[in-house]
Structure formats: C-alpha cells, structure tokens
Amino acid sequence: MVIANNKTPCFICNEEKITYPCKGCLKEFCFMDLAKHKQILNDELNHIINDYGEFKLSMNEQKQNPQNRSLIKQIDQWEMNLIGKIKQKANDCREIVLKSSHTFIDGIEMKFNDLSEQIQELQKENDFNEINLNYLSNQLRKIREELNNPPKTSIQQNSQPFITDISIISSIKPKWDKLKQNAITVAGGNGQEQKLNQLNQPVAIFIDETKNIFIADSYNHRIVEWRCDAKEGQTTAGGNGKGNRIHQLNLPTDVIVDQLSHSIIIADHGNRRVIEWLNQKQQLILIHNIDCSRLAIDKYGFLYVSDCKKNEVRRWKIGKYNNEGIIVAGGNGEGSELNQLNHPGFIFVDGEQSVYVSDAYNNRVIKWRKGATKGIVVAGGNGQGENLDQLFHPRGVIIDDLGQIYVADFENHRIMRWCEGKEEGEIVVGGNGKGNQLNQFNGPAGLSFHDEGILYVADRWNHRIAKFDIIL
C-alpha cells in the first residue's frame, strides 16, 4: 500500500512538510514556521497599536492646543488695535466737544463781564436815564438768549468704514457644497392615489441609516416606508382609512424614527395628537390635544413639537409626557416680533439645543438658543417675495455640519441655503418655476440629508420624493 504524499514546501524553510495555509496571505507554512508567521503578525499588530496610541496622543494634544492658535492671536491683536483706535477717536471727539463748549461759555462770560462793567460805571457816576436802562436790559436779554441757544453740535458718521473688517476663510467645504440640478425620483411619482407605488401629498420625510425613507403620506393617512431602490413602499403606520381610532391616522404631517426601539413617532395633525407606533402593532398616544405641526428629536432624548395654533414650540423628555412640556420658542401669541411666531412648522434642533423654526407666515426662519426669551432671524424676514433675501411660506429646515441653513422655500418652488449672519441666501436646487420636471418643484416641503450629502425633498404637489446627488 502506497501512502499518499500530502507534503508541500513550507514558504519559510522550503522543506517538504505537512503545511497549513494562512487565509490572509494564502501561503503554506509548516507547523513550526506557522508559529513564527503568527508571531510576525502579532508584532505588526502591536506596531499598529503603538501607531494608534501615538496618533491618539497627537489628536488629544491638538484638541487641547489647536494648531490654529496663531489665528486666534491675530484675531485678538485685531481686536486690541481696533479697541485702541475706537478709544482714541472717542477721546478726540470728547476733547473737541469740551473745547467747543468752553469757547462758547468763555465768549458769553466776556460779554457779561463787559456789561457788568458798564453797569458799575453808571452806578458810580450816578448819571443815567431810561435810554441807558433800556440798553442794559436789551443787552442782558441778548446774552441770556445766546446762553440758552448754544450753537448746534451733532455727530456725523462717516459712510466709509472706520475699521478694517476681517473674516475667516476656511479650506473646509461641506461635503454637499454642490448638488446636481436634476433630481432622481426615489418614491412615488406615479400619480395621486393610494397604491403602494403612489403617494398623495407627502409632506415630511425621515431617512434612516440604511437610506430607507419614512414618508408622512398625508392625504393617504399613513406612514410609508420606502426601502432603498424599491419600486414601491410598505405601510408601517395607519393606512386604515381616515379616522381617530388608535390604529388610524388623520392627515399625518411629520414622522421621526427611533431606530433603537424601532418605534415611529407621528404628528397626527388631524387628530390633534402625537402618537407612537411600535413594530407596526402597538400604538400609544404620547401627547393629547395639541395642534401638532412638526416634530424633532435631539441627541439628549428630548422630543420637540411645533404647535401651529398656539404659535409655539414645546419640548418633552422622551418617555415623560405626563406634563405640559416646556416652551422653547414662541408662546407669546401670534405676531412678527422676535419673541413671537406665526404658524410655526418644521423645526430642527442642533447639538447645542438651539431650535430653528420655519416661521411660515412671517416668511422667515428664526433661531432660538437654549433658554432664550426671543429668537434671531437667520433666513428671510424681509417680507414675502422671491428675492434672494426673501422667502415665501417656508417649510422644511435642516442644518449641515458647517451650520449652513437649508430651507424649503415652498411657494417659490426652490431650496435655499443661508449662512447665519448673511443678508441673503442662494438657490441650491429648483428655482426654475413651478412644474413636474426633474429640475422643478411643485411645493417642496420636508427636507432630509443622508450622511453622504445626498439631499431628499418631499415634493408635495408632485406626489414624489426627489433625491439630489452631490457633484463629485
């Protein structure tokens, strides 16, 4: 009987032995050299771990002592220089005002002293009549009028800038700086009906980590989940006709997904309630008797709800809804003052818990910092219109990593981007008139970004969800 020869050359010692393959490098090693090979791999791993540790130290050092500290010093120096100039200018102007005042008073005093000498001379000589008295009286009246009516002095502000302005120019650009102008329809777009490949006035969207789209399909009274690249959606909440029963919805206007608990929180606008659906079966009313317009959730586990009738935004801790919540924006009646709102809709909450509110009938987006008693206008606010410094009934609002503000300019059928502090925005997509072409909108409403920078828009009256890819 011949014993089969299953020996092959070892990669290291090159001797014919029983060998063992390494799945990483696909080479064969004898038992002894396999151990050496594993030791080499362990050494390489330790080298990577050391590199990782060094990088972490370097990163922490930069975190504590950022490399751009020299820029901070330049800004500090600019501030000190300008403060010095402003103080010097203020002192110069004060000296001019005081010198002018002293000159005026000195002139009055000289006239008064001269008149006083004339009076003393008349008294000394005791030789005067009515003519002399009238003259003295008139002179005193003139001096008094002159004192009471000093020369008019005012401050004139030069139209030329007194200080040299500075700004920061960063090489960091947002991942989605430029977007393709033609959209891709990723949901709906097949008419205004209730089939699973159709939508009826979608108003808000939520994109999860796997690019699945949850849609507030408002006039179909349902929430539809449209999986990535799917031809049709599936109903995940509602879809049982318009109604107020626990398994029904009535004109849902927003949806957010808690991906940890697999629950869906819905602004059930027509039923004046915020409701939670868990695993498509269990329903729970979270907040009763609220004219809920839109929802947001922050990283700290707070739920925000805009109330379009009370003109306010309130906040609740997730899971603790047995109270009235806390007002974080508005709450001072309908109006256009900075502490008021007029039909608030979409909301966005940043990492510092600042609340951005799409203040629809004031044609602006207003930002309320945490704990603030009034907001600041960060987009629009210049009346209803289509100029670049105006909005017309804005809807969706989201903020990118650089703090740039994206607004669905509903009646102008365009998406605008604003930088806080700038007087006007820019058109990102749309702005080509109302229509159903791929570069047009018909009432853009909800907005959402995917991490890759892709912009999704709920195109309400075109009954579709449009996706805009970035230009690489």
Side-chain angles (χ1 to χ4, degrees):
M1 180 178 177
V2 179
I3 300 175
N5 183 12
N6 58 352
K7 297 181 179 181
T8 56
C10 170
F11 178 75
I12 293 180
C13 67
N14 204 28
E15 295 181 8
E16 294 280 342
K17 295 182 180 180
I18 295 174
T19 57
Y20 305 88
C22 172
K23 292 184 178 180
C25 64
L26 302 179
K27 294 181 175 64
E28 301 281 341
F29 300 91
C30 68
F31 183 77
M32 295 297 293
D33 289 335
L34 180 62
K36 295 178 182 178
H37 181 61
K38 287 184 177 179
Q39 184 59 48
I40 292 172
L41 295 181
N42 283 330
D43 292 342
E44 291 181 359
L45 175 60
N46 289 331
H47 181 70
I48 292 172
I49 292 172
N50 289 335
D51 286 347
Y52 168 82
E54 291 177 3
F55 177 78
K56 186 176 182 180
L57 286 173
S58 176
M59 182 175 64
N60 289 336
E61 286 177 1
Q62 287 199 30
K63 190 175 181 181
Q64 297 297 324
N65 300 292
Q67 293 180 349
N68 58 8
R69 190 167 297 279
S70 62
L71 293 177
I72 300 297
K73 289 182 178 179
Q74 291 181 47
I75 295 171
D76 292 342
Q77 187 62 49
W78 173 83
E79 180 185 29
M80 291 176 62
N81 291 341
L82 289 182
I83 290 174
K85 286 184 178 180
I86 291 171
K87 285 184 175 180
Q88 184 61 49
K89 188 67 176 180
N91 286 333
D92 291 345
C93 290
R94 287 191 195 98
E95 288 183 8
I96 293 172
V97 170
L98 293 173
K99 186 175 181 180
S100 175
S101 177
H102 289 155
T103 300
F104 171 70
I105 295 297
D106 289 345
I108 296 292
E109 189 175 22
M110 287 178 62
K111 293 179 181 178
F112 176 76
N113 290 336
D114 182 60
L115 185 61
S116 179
E117 290 179 1
Q118 294 181 48
I119 293 173
Q120 290 176 6
E121 185 69 25
L122 288 176
Q123 285 180 322
K124 181 179 180 181
E125 295 180 356
N126 197 22
D127 184 16
F128 56 88
N129 56 31
E130 289 82 359
I131 296 175
N132 301 120
L133 296 178
N134 287 335
Y135 169 79
L136 294 175
S137 179
N138 286 334
Q139 289 298 105
L140 183 60
R141 177 181 55 79
K142 289 180 181 179
I143 295 173
R144 182 182 290 111
E145 288 177 354
E146 190 174 353
L147 179 64
N148 293 332
N149 295 280
K152 291 184 178 180
T153 305
S154 62
I155 295 175
Q156 179 180 357
Q157 295 191 17
N158 197 332
S159 60
Q160 298 297 321
F162 173 63
I163 65 173
T164 303
D165 196 9
I166 64 171
S167 60
I168 304 300
I169 301 174
S170 175
S171 60
I172 301 174
K173 296 293 183 183
K175 292 180 289 186
W176 41 80
D177 187 47
K178 296 292 184 181
L179 294 171
K180 294 180 179 179
Q181 295 302 296
N182 284 345
I184 300 171
T185 299
V186 292
N190 298 303
Q192 178 186 353
E193 296 295 341
Q194 58 184 358
K195 295 178 182 178
L196 289 178
N197 70 338
Q198 296 176 309
L199 299 170
N200 190 348
Q201 297 188 41
V203 293
I205 50 178
F206 182 94
I207 313 294
D208 71 10
E209 295 175 353
T210 57
K211 298 184 185 179
N212 295 331
I213 311 169
F214 292 81
I215 307 166
D217 191 11
S218 185
Y219 277 75
N220 279 328
H221 314 290
R222 67 188 181 186
I223 303 298
V224 178
E225 179 183 358
W226 211 292
R227 296 188 180 276
C228 183
D229 298 326
K231 299 298 181 183
E232 61 181 33
Q234 60 183 27
T235 302
T236 58
N240 300 304
K242 176 182 177 181
N244 60 7
R245 295 184 178 181
I246 194 68
H247 69 293
Q248 293 179 305
L249 298 173
N250 182 358
L251 299 176
T253 52
D254 207 354
V255 55
I256 56 178
V257 180
D258 187 337
Q259 297 177 74
L260 293 178
S261 65
H262 303 288
S263 66
I264 301 173
I265 301 175
I266 304 163
D268 191 9
H269 179 71
N271 286 322
R272 302 186 66 246
R273 66 190 183 187
V274 177
I275 189 169
E276 181 179 32
W277 283 57
L278 184 62
N279 295 324
Q280 303 181 27
K281 297 178 181 179
Q282 182 181 351
Q283 298 89 35
L284 176 65
I285 298 176
L286 304 180
I287 306 171
H288 298 262
N289 301 319
I290 182 170
D291 291 294
C292 49
S293 178
R294 299 302 190 273
L295 309 172
I297 190 170
D298 69 18
K299 66 180 182 180
Y300 301 103
F302 287 94
L303 176 69
Y304 299 73
V305 185
S306 61
D307 189 320
C308 59
K309 294 291 180 65
K310 291 184 177 179
N311 295 294
E312 65 186 21
V313 179
R314 288 181 182 262
R315 183 184 73 192
W316 285 262
K317 180 70 175 178
I318 291 288
K320 297 182 180 180
Y321 302 104
N322 56 347
N323 55 61
E324 295 183 351
I326 299 172
I327 295 177
V328 294
N332 298 297
E334 176 186 310
S336 59
E337 299 298 323
L338 291 178
N339 67 340
Q340 294 178 306
L341 300 170
N342 189 352
H343 205 81
F346 285 86
I347 46 181
F348 181 92
V349 184
D350 66 16
E352 298 177 348
Q353 293 184 302
S354 293
V355 182
Y356 296 77
V357 185
S358 185
D359 193 10
Y361 291 172
N362 281 325
N363 301 296
R364 67 188 183 186
V365 174
I366 190 164
K367 175 183 177 180
W368 290 65
R369 299 187 187 278
K370 183 180 179 182
T373 57
K374 63 180 180 180
I376 56 173
V377 177
V378 293
N382 297 300
Q384 172 184 306
E386 60 181 12
N387 295 328
L388 292 179
D389 65 343
Q390 294 177 306
L391 298 170
F392 191 172
H393 293 172
R395 294 295 193 267
V397 56
I398 53 176
I399 316 300
D400 69 16
D401 293 340
L402 295 182
Q404 298 180 117
I405 304 152
Y406 291 74
V407 186
D409 195 3
F410 187 75
E411 299 286 357
N412 284 325
H413 313 289
R414 64 190 184 185
I415 309 301
M416 300 285 291
R417 177 169 59 200
W418 293 65
C419 293
E420 187 173 335
K422 296 295 184 182
E423 294 183 356
E424 61 181 36
E426 60 178 327
I427 299 172
V428 178
V429 288
N432 300 304
K434 180 173 70 174
N436 60 6
Q437 300 301 308
L438 294 179
N439 67 343
Q440 293 179 307
F441 294 112
N442 190 353
L447 301 178
S448 185
F449 268 129
H450 189 265
D451 286 343
E452 297 174 355
I454 299 170
L455 177 67
Y456 293 81
V457 183
D459 192 5
R460 179 173 183 172
W461 300 109
N462 280 327
H463 314 291
R464 67 188 179 189
I465 307 300
K467 180 181 80 168
F468 293 87
D469 288 324
I470 59 174
I471 298 175
L472 299 175

mmCIF file of all heavy atoms in Angstrom, residues 3 192 228 240 252 258 288 375-376 427 434:
data_model
loop_
_atom_site.group_PDB
_atom_site.id
_atom_site.type_symbol
_atom_site.label_atom_id
_atom_site.label_comp_id
_atom_site.label_asym_id
_atom_site.label_seq_id
_atom_site.Cartn_x
_atom_site.Cartn_y
_atom_site.Cartn_z
ATOM 1 N N ILE A 3 1.494 5.100 0.644
ATOM 2 C CA ILE A 3 0.959 6.215 1.441
ATOM 3 C C ILE A 3 0.971 7.479 0.600
ATOM 4 O O ILE A 3 1.989 7.816 -0.022
ATOM 5 C CB ILE A 3 1.807 6.404 2.710
ATOM 6 C CG1 ILE A 3 1.776 5.134 3.567
ATOM 7 C CG2 ILE A 3 1.305 7.607 3.513
ATOM 8 C CD1 ILE A 3 2.667 5.190 4.778
ATOM 9 N N GLN A 192 -51.514 60.541 -8.044
ATOM 10 C CA GLN A 192 -52.024 60.921 -6.727
ATOM 11 C C GLN A 192 -53.074 59.912 -6.271
ATOM 12 O O GLN A 192 -54.263 60.160 -6.324
ATOM 13 C CB GLN A 192 -52.620 62.337 -6.814
ATOM 14 C CG GLN A 192 -53.230 62.865 -5.533
ATOM 15 C CD GLN A 192 -53.911 64.194 -5.746
ATOM 16 O OE1 GLN A 192 -53.822 64.783 -6.819
ATOM 17 N NE2 GLN A 192 -54.610 64.675 -4.739
ATOM 18 N N CYS A 228 -34.566 51.401 0.263
ATOM 19 C CA CYS A 228 -33.633 51.912 -0.746
ATOM 20 C C CYS A 228 -33.760 51.135 -2.049
ATOM 21 O O CYS A 228 -33.724 49.893 -2.057
ATOM 22 C CB CYS A 228 -32.209 51.823 -0.194
ATOM 23 S SG CYS A 228 -30.964 52.507 -1.288
ATOM 24 N N ASN A 240 -55.396 52.669 7.430
ATOM 25 C CA ASN A 240 -56.682 52.036 7.722
ATOM 26 C C ASN A 240 -57.832 53.019 7.544
ATOM 27 O O ASN A 240 -58.843 52.951 8.230
ATOM 28 C CB ASN A 240 -56.673 51.491 9.157
ATOM 29 C CG ASN A 240 -55.575 50.464 9.369
ATOM 30 O OD1 ASN A 240 -55.507 49.466 8.665
ATOM 31 N ND2 ASN A 240 -54.699 50.721 10.334
ATOM 32 N N PRO A 252 -51.426 62.918 8.763
ATOM 33 C CA PRO A 252 -50.131 62.996 9.459
ATOM 34 C C PRO A 252 -49.210 63.982 8.756
ATOM 35 O O PRO A 252 -49.113 63.986 7.528
ATOM 36 C CB PRO A 252 -49.602 61.563 9.362
ATOM 37 C CG PRO A 252 -50.251 61.001 8.140
ATOM 38 C CD PRO A 252 -51.622 61.617 8.104
ATOM 39 N N ASP A 258 -37.265 56.228 15.967
ATOM 40 C CA ASP A 258 -36.305 55.864 16.997
ATOM 41 C C ASP A 258 -35.740 54.503 16.607
ATOM 42 O O ASP A 258 -36.385 53.473 16.787
ATOM 43 C CB ASP A 258 -36.976 55.805 18.367
ATOM 44 C CG ASP A 258 -35.975 55.587 19.503
ATOM 45 O OD1 ASP A 258 -34.874 55.057 19.231
ATOM 46 O OD2 ASP A 258 -36.301 55.899 20.651
ATOM 47 N N HIS A 288 -51.792 64.513 24.016
ATOM 48 C CA HIS A 288 -53.168 64.761 23.602
ATOM 49 C C HIS A 288 -53.403 66.248 23.357
ATOM 50 O O HIS A 288 -52.680 67.104 23.864
ATOM 51 C CB HIS A 288 -54.150 64.294 24.692
ATOM 52 C CG HIS A 288 -54.089 62.832 24.995
ATOM 53 N ND1 HIS A 288 -54.969 61.918 24.467
ATOM 54 C CD2 HIS A 288 -53.242 62.113 25.792
ATOM 55 C CE1 HIS A 288 -54.679 60.702 24.924
ATOM 56 N NE2 HIS A 288 -53.639 60.795 25.730
ATOM 57 N N GLY A 375 -35.951 85.031 19.630
ATOM 58 C CA GLY A 375 -35.101 84.422 18.617
ATOM 59 C C GLY A 375 -34.352 85.443 17.793
ATOM 60 O O GLY A 375 -34.493 86.660 17.979
ATOM 61 N N ILE A 376 -33.545 84.932 16.871
ATOM 62 C CA ILE A 376 -32.862 85.784 15.893
ATOM 63 C C ILE A 376 -33.179 85.241 14.501
ATOM 64 O O ILE A 376 -33.225 84.025 14.294
ATOM 65 C CB ILE A 376 -31.336 85.819 16.126
ATOM 66 C CG1 ILE A 376 -30.734 84.407 16.117
ATOM 67 C CG2 ILE A 376 -31.001 86.510 17.421
ATOM 68 C CD1 ILE A 376 -29.222 84.392 16.169
ATOM 69 N N ILE A 427 -29.751 79.904 -4.137
ATOM 70 C CA ILE A 427 -30.580 78.782 -4.578
ATOM 71 C C ILE A 427 -29.690 77.559 -4.747
ATOM 72 O O ILE A 427 -28.692 77.608 -5.460
ATOM 73 C CB ILE A 427 -31.297 79.119 -5.899
ATOM 74 C CG1 ILE A 427 -32.218 80.333 -5.706
ATOM 75 C CG2 ILE A 427 -32.105 77.919 -6.378
ATOM 76 C CD1 ILE A 427 -32.823 80.848 -7.000
ATOM 77 N N LYS A 434 -42.655 76.674 -11.054
ATOM 78 C CA LYS A 434 -43.456 75.529 -10.619
ATOM 79 C C LYS A 434 -43.615 74.550 -11.768
ATOM 80 O O LYS A 434 -43.917 74.926 -12.889
ATOM 81 C CB LYS A 434 -44.824 76.004 -10.133
ATOM 82 C CG LYS A 434 -45.738 74.886 -9.662
ATOM 83 C CD LYS A 434 -47.013 75.422 -9.041
ATOM 84 C CE LYS A 434 -47.921 76.042 -10.083
ATOM 85 N NZ LYS A 434 -49.225 76.445 -9.502
#
